[in-house]
Each structure stands twice: as structure tokens, then as C-alpha cells.
Amino acid sequence: MLSLELPKHSTNQQTTAFNRILLVEDEELIRDMIVLALEGEGYQVVSAVDGRKALDLLQSPEITTGELNFDLMILDLMLPYVNGLDICRVLRHNGNTIPIIILSAKGSEEDRIAGLQIGADDYLSKPFSMGELIARCGAMIRRYRYGAVFPSSARQFGEITIFPQECRVLVRDQEVNLSPKEFKLLELFMSYPRRVWSREQLIEQIWEPDFLGDTKTVDVHVRWLREKLEQNPSQPEYLITVRGFGYRFG
Ligand code: CA
């Protein structure tokens, strides 16, 4: 069940007929449960028990020759030898676009943000339901194969998720409509959580170089964004005023 043996003469037809998932998880119990559930759904699952084995596998000659390929990787973050974030970073740095779903212990929001920022596509907190994992795997594979050519660089922070390539924003699971400027502003904020921006810096980043308005324009746009994002716009949780400096996100 956990072997790395692969069919010796896999043809192209076979590789496309089965969706093959690489599972990187060091906890045996969780690994076995996931393998069982995914195999039950008709996936082929190859497991790696630590970060080094995962990277070895992803850089194996079978991968480079195209004899072996994965449709998706499920990646635990806390792993022996090489952790999940580093695996993700190495892959994206090398131009590998395999869709990645990160699994991690509950509460590590910073890991989740870091993971999404360095190119993971989705994130599930442990403990998760097997049904949800299976649903997300299916959605990810469909989206990757038949939808977007590139993996989505969705970013999530708290209850806000932004999909830059699709120009979409979800707030508490509801789609919200943002003007192009509001969208650009939110995208910038979410790319650098907790970074403090002065109004002048925001104008420089978001508005045209020949912008003639003043910094109050920024305040107005922040107010509009707050009305769309915050549960209580007068006591914002996301778009925070930093007195004497400007604004930060988170
Ligand atoms: Ca682990």
C-alpha cells in the first residue's frame, strides 16, 4: 500500500487514465488513512514518509523523462529532514507547477499564509475530514486539468481569500464585488500581511504615476474596502490604521 513501486511499462494512456497523487506525510496512521480513502476513490497514491524522500521522488529520472507524473501533491508541513514549506519553495523555484494541498496542525495560521504565499494551492488544517480532503483533491485536479493553466495563487488571511488570477474575493465564503482599485489595494495588502504602508507608498503602488489627487484618496478607498471586508467597519480586524504611519493588513 505504501510502496514506491510503479508499473514498469506505464504508457501515456495509463498515466492520464489514473489520477496519481503524491502523499508526503510522516505520521503513519494519518498516512494509512489517507491512502486508504484516496485509493477507495480510484486514485493511485504514492507515499513519501519524509521531506528528503519526497524531493528524491520528485527529482527522480522517471519524473524528468515523463514516465512518472503526479496530478497533485498532498503535503504535510512538519516533516523530518526537509519541511513542507521548503519542499514547496524548492519546487516552485524550479518551476514545478504541481498542484499542492498543504496539511497542517490546527492553529498555525502563519504556516498557512506562508504556504499559500510560496505557491501552495490549498490548505487543510488537521484534524480534517476525509470527505473534505477527497472533495478538495477532486476539485483541484479538475481545476488544474480543465481550468486554469497555472495553479491558482489564491491567498487566504482569516476569513478573506483572494484569487488574483480570477480577480475574485471571498469574504466569509461570500463573493464580494470590488472596484479595480479596491482589488489592487487588497491584493497588495494581502501580499504583505502586517507590513505598514504609508499613504504615499500606496499611491505609488496602486495609482498611475500622473495621479493628481491627494492622500485622502487612499483613506476613502480603505474606507470602502472596510465596508466590504469587515464585519464592523468602525472596528476593523483586517485593514488596520497605524497612527502616524498609514495602514497595514492583519
Ligand atoms: Ca508531520
Side-chain angles (χ1 to χ4, degrees):
M1 187 163 67
L2 301 175
S3 96
L4 296 181
E5 282 173 34
L6 297 156
K8 281 277 175 288
H9 302 288
S10 68
T11 64
N12 280 340
Q13 206 177 6
Q14 273 176 318
T15 23
T16 50
F18 298 101
N19 289 312
R20 191 181 285 136
I21 295 177
L22 173 60
L23 169 64
V24 189
E25 169 62 76
D26 59 321
E27 280 170 72
E28 192 176 358
L29 189 66
I30 299 180
R31 197 171 60 230
D32 287 357
M33 276 164 40
I34 296 176
V35 170
L36 205 64
L38 290 174
E39 285 183 347
E41 295 294 313
Y43 292 107
Q44 280 188 2
V45 185
V46 176
S47 318
V49 298
D50 63 54
R52 204 153 57 195
K53 292 213 171 71
L55 281 179
D56 283 350
L57 197 57
L58 285 159
Q59 287 157 1
S60 68
E62 288 84 359
I63 288 273
T64 7
T65 57
E67 199 179 324
L68 169 64
N69 49 46
F70 294 105
D71 298 284
L72 175 71
M73 171 157 70
I74 299 172
L75 181 63
D76 182 33
L77 285 188
M78 297 283 284
L79 291 166
Y81 307 120
V82 185
N83 73 41
L85 285 182
D86 285 338
I87 292 177
C88 202
R89 203 172 281 127
V90 167
L91 290 177
R92 294 309 189 227
H93 180 77
N94 295 338
N96 187 320
T97 58
I98 181 173
I100 299 173
I101 298 179
I102 282 179
L103 295 182
S104 191
K106 208 172 181 174
S108 49
E109 180 169 274
E110 287 186 358
D111 281 346
R112 182 186 52 170
I113 294 167
L116 293 175
Q117 277 178 342
I118 58 177
D121 302 86
D122 202 354
Y123 187 100
L124 262 185
S125 294
K126 289 178 183 172
F128 53 87
S129 84
M130 231 22 106
E132 180 162 20
L133 179 65
I134 286 166
R136 297 232 192 157
C137 288
M140 184 72 70
I141 287 174
R142 277 193 305 277
R143 190 171 86 197
Y144 192 71
R145 283 212 167 165
Y146 309 115
V149 179
F150 300 103
S152 159
S153 49
R155 273 180 231 118
Q156 191 188 0
F157 193 102
E159 306 155 317
I160 303 176
T161 311
I162 190 166
F163 303 86
Q165 288 157 5
E166 300 160 35
C167 293
R168 283 173 60 224
V169 175
L170 292 180
V171 179
R172 291 173 281 281
D173 297 323
Q174 301 287 314
E175 195 104 16
V176 295
N177 288 317
L178 301 184
S179 73
K181 284 278 186 293
E182 290 165 352
F183 189 87
K184 276 170 111 175
L185 199 55
L186 180 62
E187 189 183 5
L188 180 69
F189 275 129
M190 289 185 75
S191 302
Y192 301 93
R194 298 195 174 86
R195 171 180 167 165
V196 177
W197 297 87
S198 71
R199 290 166 177 81
E200 290 77 13
Q201 286 171 328
L202 292 171
I203 285 185
E204 215 176 278
Q205 295 284 331
I206 307 291
W207 277 266
E208 305 298 321
D210 56 354
F211 174 71
L212 292 175
D214 63 17
T215 53
K216 289 214 172 54
T217 308
V218 174
D219 300 326
V220 171
H221 279 81
V222 166
R223 199 172 69 223
W224 288 340
L225 261 182
R226 278 178 178 156
E227 277 163 16
K228 294 177 180 180
L229 305 178
E230 306 281 356
Q231 246 162 350
N232 182 355
S234 54
Q235 288 187 325
E237 287 171 69
Y238 296 102
L239 283 173
I240 311 292
T241 303
V242 184
R243 289 199 193 289
F245 293 97
Y247 296 104
R248 70 178 159 87
F249 184 85

